[in-house]
Amino acid sequence: QVQLVESGGGLVQAGGSLRLSCAVSGRTFSTYTMGWFKKAPGKEREFVAAISRIGDTYLANSVKDRFTISRDNAKTTVSLHMNSLKPEDTAIYYCAASSLLGLPSQPPTYNYWGQGTQVTVSS
């Protein structure tokens, strides 16, 4: 069983930065594609970023110039570095693990999910 625990969310002013982290249990971390999704009130869960087992990354157009995703296979963690935050980035952010190869962006393609961490960006 894989367990994911997010941390690092909070309240930040527009233009600020946050770093989200996801600690993943299990010895098979390096075999998973890892992703970040967000869910704002009244909206569907939305893809933010993914990183493959070998470190290839894919980010949503809305964040690709502001966010980066990274992973540390030795520490079994994945991080989302968020810069130049905007009020529209406000959401609950979820870490997820997928057994698929490549860089999947659809929620159903992810097998395991964390509980989420709230990010609020004030204007």
Side-chain angles (χ1 to χ4, degrees):
Q1 188 71 8
V2 177
Q3 292 185 324
L4 298 84
V5 179
E6 302 95 337
S7 62
L11 173 64
V12 64
Q13 289 187 331
S17 299
L18 280 176
R19 177 176 177 265
L20 305 184
S21 293
C22 177
V24 184
S25 67
R27 293 178 294 175
T28 58
F29 173 79
S30 63
T31 68
Y32 288 98
T33 293
M34 300 301 300
W36 285 95
F37 291 78
K38 69 177 185 180
K39 188 178 187 311
K43 294 187 177 181
E44 298 290 323
R45 193 167 296 195
E46 180 182 342
F47 171 77
V48 176
I51 185 166
S52 72
R53 297 178 300 171
I54 59 172
D56 294 327
T57 63
Y58 173 46
L59 290 94
N61 287 337
S62 60
V63 305
K64 64 181 181 180
D65 296 326
R66 302 183 292 122
F67 294 6
T68 58
I69 184 172
S70 61
R71 68 187 295 160
D72 186 330
N73 286 342
K75 296 182 178 179
T76 67
T77 59
V78 59
S79 299
L80 185 68
H81 303 258
M82 306 187 294
N83 298 314
S84 302
L85 283 161
K86 303 176 181 180
E88 51 263 44
D89 295 319
T90 295
I92 299 175
Y93 282 73
Y94 297 90
C95 174
S98 173
S99 58
L100 294 180
L101 297 177
L103 294 163
S105 61
Q106 299 301 314
T109 60
Y110 284 76
N111 309 87
Y112 302 100
W113 293 83
Q115 293 299 307
T117 185
Q118 177 71 47
V119 171
T120 303
V121 184
S122 63
S123 58

